[in-house]
Amino acid sequence: MPRVGVLALQGDVREHIRMLTRLGADAVPVRRPEELAAVSGLAIPGGESSVIDKLSRIFGMQEPIRRAIADGLPVYGTCAGLILLADRVADGIAGQQSFGGLDITVQRNAFGSQVDSFETELAVAGFDEPVSASFIRAPRVIEVGASVDVLATLPDGDIVAVRQGTLLGTAFHPEVSGETRFHELLLEMVRMRRVTRVTVQA
Ligand code: GLN
């Protein structure tokens, strides 16, 4: 049973813990560097990216998370979590920082005030059936680097799901709609990395 953390500074932490537990993981909240060191994968929840950013610096978590990402820790970010994984945030609040890792630019609150929140069926690369996706004051990806795989776009072309190596990000919230496949993908990356590490060390 892989131990997987959910960054628990702000946001819908409980929903991610519930989802990962349901999928058989030992899911734990992560607030401190020691807790981060004890997990083999991490989910960064939806919430408010500027708040999670600030709290991560107050709690001394920014550098450890950046190091873990550089070291290949599998991380899945939803919504605010996607913003925090982006190398570039187009319209953060003054001084807003991210952990980075995904070679993308995100635009926060990209869908205007009238359609702040909506649900839609989305085809996702690698999934047989479409995903029921909840967008809640969601960002969109406005630029992707060459090594980023685009997994899903809205009908107008807006990029809303990406993967780059062990980093996965969605602008929507599968943990809210009960969609399990993205969290399964995170757990699969965790298992793959374990196998690779054991092989390399042997
Ligand atoms: N608008 C939020 C932000 O900028 C993200 C919203 C969400 O995570 N549901 O961080």
Side-chain angles (χ1 to χ4, degrees):
M1 211 186 349
R3 173 171 287 196
V4 176
V6 179
L7 186 62
L9 301 173
Q10 190 264 342
D12 70 334
V13 176
R14 228 175 308 162
E15 286 78 357
H16 282 276
I17 292 205
R18 204 176 296 140
M19 173 70 74
L20 289 163
T21 304
R22 178 175 152 197
L23 294 174
D26 174 16
V28 293
V30 165
R31 283 186 200 89
R32 292 173 232 283
E34 315 84 79
E35 292 165 343
L36 179 67
V39 297
S40 43
L42 184 71
I44 304 180
E48 177 49 52
S49 57
S50 58
V51 173
I52 298 176
D53 161 43
K54 261 190 210 148
L55 291 174
S56 76
R57 286 185 267 152
I58 292 169
F59 280 69
M61 288 297 281
Q62 188 192 58
E63 277 314 312
I65 291 175
R66 284 182 174 170
R67 246 179 284 128
I69 288 172
D71 193 37
L73 182 77
V75 184
Y76 173 32
T78 63
C79 204
L82 168 67
I83 296 169
L84 284 154
L85 285 176
D87 282 346
R88 297 167 296 279
V89 180
D91 51 3
I93 66 162
Q96 181 165 348
Q97 298 177 18
S98 66
F99 304 128
L102 283 174
D103 181 12
I104 60 171
T105 306
V106 288
Q107 180 189 11
R108 294 171 62 230
N109 305 328
F111 298 102
S113 55
Q114 277 166 329
V115 280
D116 253 349
S117 302
F118 59 98
E119 253 188 72
T120 187
E121 295 269 292
L122 212 56
V124 175
F127 294 179
D128 291 339
E129 300 292 324
V131 158
S132 150
S134 313
F135 291 81
I136 305 166
R137 299 196 344 109
R140 66 176 162 184
V141 178
I142 55 174
E143 191 185 52
V144 295
S147 40
V148 176
D149 292 323
V150 172
L151 301 184
T153 52
L154 289 171
D156 62 4
D158 282 338
I159 298 169
V160 289
V162 292
R163 176 174 177 179
Q164 183 180 359
T166 53
L167 301 181
L168 177 66
T170 59
F172 49 89
H173 293 267
E175 75 284 6
V176 168
S177 56
E179 165 62 51
T180 58
R181 286 168 287 178
F182 290 97
H183 292 80
E184 281 168 28
L185 193 52
L186 172 65
L187 296 180
E188 193 183 305
M189 291 194 287
V190 168
R191 280 187 288 264
M192 292 280 296
R193 183 164 180 254
R194 279 187 164 181
V195 172
T196 323
R197 291 206 135 187
V198 170
T199 315
V200 168
Q201 278 160 13

